[in-house]
Amino acid sequence: IQKIAVLTSGGDAPGMNAAIRAVVRACVYNEIQCVGVYRGFAGLIEGDFKELDARSVKNLINRGGTFLKSARSKEFITPEGRQQAWEMLKQDNIDALVVIGGDGSFVGASIFASEFGFPIVGIPATIDNDINGTDYTIGYDTALNTVVDAVDKIRDTANSHNRLFLVEVMGRDAGDIALNAGIGAGAEEILIPEQNMGLERLLESLDRSKKSGKSSSIVVVSERGQLGKNIFELASYIETNLPEYEVRVTVLGHIQRGGVPSCYDRVLASRLGVGAVDSLLRGENSVMMGIVHNKVKSVPFSDITLDFRTIDEELIRVADIISI
Ligand code: F6P
């Protein structure tokens, strides 16, 4: 392998820059040329490439977002789009590709790799932590800290006014952000897509906590765990059925995707970036670098999208006990 391209794809995540930096520097270390692809697979199809050296990635380890920019490409889903991407790679004499992104990006990458026999290694980066084959994804830890920090602030005002706050967090179909940030921020209840507690149980729980002397409460609500309602409908449902509660809603939104990456995410990104280049040099293809029991591992693409990750029952139990 003499030339490796690297791109970021899908929703951005804090730590993507640190991952690009690690890939570039691992290439330089191994005397391999490195090329950055702008705007994910869209830029791959258009040949939007730039040579990167060790100094091109200076002062990036601490920056959120992705300097290569990211996109969700519709064209790459089509055989014509992938053919065009292949031609661009050949034209530039690129031998292998590192894709930094989420499972959607790996689906496209996997198809491309098998169609053209082109070596691709993935690095999991998404705030959702929803990828099989890795204990953590890059950006998740930073997002958790952002949510906890926001909920701490909400708690101040909730407490001053004796209010109940519903705080909506991201995560797509995964409740990892809600569950872990909810425990970390001391939430009263945590609503996640993996476990539908039902409206009745929610009301009972809130009623019980009011009677136990709690003056204010925080309910962390995953974006797809809203018990068949949207968060504003849920707020008015609670106010109608438990009039003693004054309810407010905060949707945290995209602040969860930005910000300075945490130390954990920077280290994870650095390890997986170096691991990706090592993997290509070992001759691997169609694998994702994962962190499993704190060891860097290659996981075949075919193993990461099979079934959905299950939520940790122990965490649910802890959340229940400590919110009493
Ligand atoms: O996958 C990351 C994520 O932020 C999800 O948590 C969320 O559902 C989605 O992306 C939002 O996507 P967009 O930025 O395209 O609105």
Side-chain angles (χ1 to χ4, degrees), residues 72 126-128 170-172 223 254 257:
R72 294 189 171 112
T126 162
I127 63 163
D128 301 337
M170 282 185 169
R172 217 180 274 271
E223 60 179 327
H254 285 77
R257 287 246 295 266

mmCIF file of all heavy atoms in Angstrom, residues 72 126-128 170-172 223 254 257, ligand 1:
data_model
loop_
_atom_site.group_PDB
_atom_site.id
_atom_site.type_symbol
_atom_site.label_atom_id
_atom_site.label_comp_id
_atom_site.label_asym_id
_atom_site.label_seq_id
_atom_site.Cartn_x
_atom_site.Cartn_y
_atom_site.Cartn_z
ATOM 1 N N ARG A 72 -24.132 13.197 3.786
ATOM 2 C CA ARG A 72 -24.810 11.918 3.572
ATOM 3 C C ARG A 72 -25.117 11.863 2.078
ATOM 4 O O ARG A 72 -26.017 12.534 1.610
ATOM 5 C CB ARG A 72 -26.088 11.853 4.416
ATOM 6 C CG ARG A 72 -25.798 11.830 5.921
ATOM 7 C CD ARG A 72 -27.034 11.553 6.749
ATOM 8 N NE ARG A 72 -26.693 11.320 8.142
ATOM 9 C CZ ARG A 72 -27.003 12.126 9.152
ATOM 10 N NH1 ARG A 72 -27.690 13.223 8.939
ATOM 11 N NH2 ARG A 72 -26.655 11.832 10.377
ATOM 12 N N THR A 126 -19.715 8.397 15.946
ATOM 13 C CA THR A 126 -21.074 8.924 16.025
ATOM 14 C C THR A 126 -21.396 9.154 17.493
ATOM 15 O O THR A 126 -20.983 8.343 18.337
ATOM 16 C CB THR A 126 -22.123 7.968 15.415
ATOM 17 O OG1 THR A 126 -23.428 8.342 15.913
ATOM 18 C CG2 THR A 126 -21.902 6.508 15.801
ATOM 19 N N ILE A 127 -22.117 10.204 17.776
ATOM 20 C CA ILE A 127 -22.460 10.463 19.187
ATOM 21 C C ILE A 127 -23.420 9.402 19.719
ATOM 22 O O ILE A 127 -23.571 9.253 20.920
ATOM 23 C CB ILE A 127 -23.067 11.869 19.392
ATOM 24 C CG1 ILE A 127 -24.392 12.033 18.642
ATOM 25 C CG2 ILE A 127 -22.074 12.954 19.026
ATOM 26 C CD1 ILE A 127 -25.226 13.211 19.128
ATOM 27 N N ASP A 128 -24.084 8.642 18.809
ATOM 28 C CA ASP A 128 -25.160 7.742 19.245
ATOM 29 C C ASP A 128 -24.670 6.480 19.963
ATOM 30 O O ASP A 128 -25.440 5.832 20.663
ATOM 31 C CB ASP A 128 -26.008 7.309 18.033
ATOM 32 C CG ASP A 128 -26.630 8.486 17.319
ATOM 33 O OD1 ASP A 128 -26.793 9.537 17.947
ATOM 34 O OD2 ASP A 128 -26.956 8.352 16.116
ATOM 35 N N MET A 170 -30.463 13.369 21.784
ATOM 36 C CA MET A 170 -30.335 12.622 20.520
ATOM 37 C C MET A 170 -30.005 11.148 20.785
ATOM 38 O O MET A 170 -29.942 10.705 21.922
ATOM 39 C CB MET A 170 -29.248 13.247 19.661
ATOM 40 C CG MET A 170 -29.680 14.499 18.943
ATOM 41 S SD MET A 170 -28.349 15.053 17.843
ATOM 42 C CE MET A 170 -29.220 16.301 16.895
ATOM 43 N N GLY A 171 -29.754 10.406 19.716
ATOM 44 C CA GLY A 171 -29.386 8.994 19.861
ATOM 45 C C GLY A 171 -30.011 8.127 18.793
ATOM 46 O O GLY A 171 -29.784 6.929 18.755
ATOM 47 N N ARG A 172 -30.862 8.734 17.956
ATOM 48 C CA ARG A 172 -31.570 7.972 16.922
ATOM 49 C C ARG A 172 -32.310 6.800 17.563
ATOM 50 O O ARG A 172 -33.055 7.034 18.528
ATOM 51 C CB ARG A 172 -30.581 7.494 15.861
ATOM 52 C CG ARG A 172 -31.133 7.513 14.466
ATOM 53 C CD ARG A 172 -30.079 7.020 13.499
ATOM 54 N NE ARG A 172 -29.211 8.110 13.092
ATOM 55 C CZ ARG A 172 -29.429 8.895 12.058
ATOM 56 N NH1 ARG A 172 -30.463 8.702 11.297
ATOM 57 N NH2 ARG A 172 -28.601 9.858 11.750
ATOM 58 N N GLU A 223 -34.779 10.874 21.762
ATOM 59 C CA GLU A 223 -35.584 11.426 20.664
ATOM 60 C C GLU A 223 -36.592 10.420 20.089
ATOM 61 O O GLU A 223 -37.613 10.805 19.550
ATOM 62 C CB GLU A 223 -34.691 11.993 19.554
ATOM 63 C CG GLU A 223 -33.767 10.969 18.920
ATOM 64 C CD GLU A 223 -32.902 11.566 17.805
ATOM 65 O OE1 GLU A 223 -33.360 12.477 17.118
ATOM 66 O OE2 GLU A 223 -31.767 11.087 17.630
ATOM 67 N N HIS A 254 -28.623 19.954 18.311
ATOM 68 C CA HIS A 254 -27.291 19.762 17.737
ATOM 69 C C HIS A 254 -26.150 20.269 18.610
ATOM 70 O O HIS A 254 -24.986 20.042 18.250
ATOM 71 C CB HIS A 254 -27.219 20.373 16.337
ATOM 72 C CG HIS A 254 -27.939 19.532 15.323
ATOM 73 N ND1 HIS A 254 -29.311 19.523 15.224
ATOM 74 C CD2 HIS A 254 -27.482 18.638 14.399
ATOM 75 C CE1 HIS A 254 -29.670 18.669 14.260
ATOM 76 N NE2 HIS A 254 -28.582 18.126 13.753
ATOM 77 N N ARG A 257 -23.750 17.595 19.201
ATOM 78 C CA ARG A 257 -22.810 17.121 18.179
ATOM 79 C C ARG A 257 -21.519 17.943 18.139
ATOM 80 O O ARG A 257 -20.562 17.548 17.455
ATOM 81 C CB ARG A 257 -23.489 17.159 16.815
ATOM 82 C CG ARG A 257 -24.534 16.078 16.637
ATOM 83 C CD ARG A 257 -24.130 15.068 15.568
ATOM 84 N NE ARG A 257 -24.069 15.686 14.264
ATOM 85 C CZ ARG A 257 -25.068 15.692 13.390
ATOM 86 N NH1 ARG A 257 -26.210 15.086 13.684
ATOM 87 N NH2 ARG A 257 -24.938 16.270 12.227
HETATM 88 O O1 F6P B 1 -26.473 10.106 14.176
HETATM 89 C C1 F6P B 1 -26.206 11.313 14.839
HETATM 90 C C2 F6P B 1 -27.471 12.133 14.972
HETATM 91 O O2 F6P B 1 -27.129 13.341 15.630
HETATM 92 C C3 F6P B 1 -28.639 11.442 15.657
HETATM 93 O O3 F6P B 1 -28.512 11.443 17.056
HETATM 94 C C4 F6P B 1 -29.801 12.261 15.141
HETATM 95 O O4 F6P B 1 -30.979 11.489 15.128
HETATM 96 C C5 F6P B 1 -29.376 12.624 13.739
HETATM 97 O O5 F6P B 1 -27.967 12.453 13.688
HETATM 98 C C6 F6P B 1 -29.714 14.026 13.316
HETATM 99 O O6 F6P B 1 -29.346 14.157 11.989
HETATM 100 P P1 F6P B 1 -29.239 15.555 11.217
HETATM 101 O O7 F6P B 1 -27.997 16.260 11.725
HETATM 102 O O8 F6P B 1 -29.107 15.172 9.801
HETATM 103 O O9 F6P B 1 -30.461 16.341 11.553
#
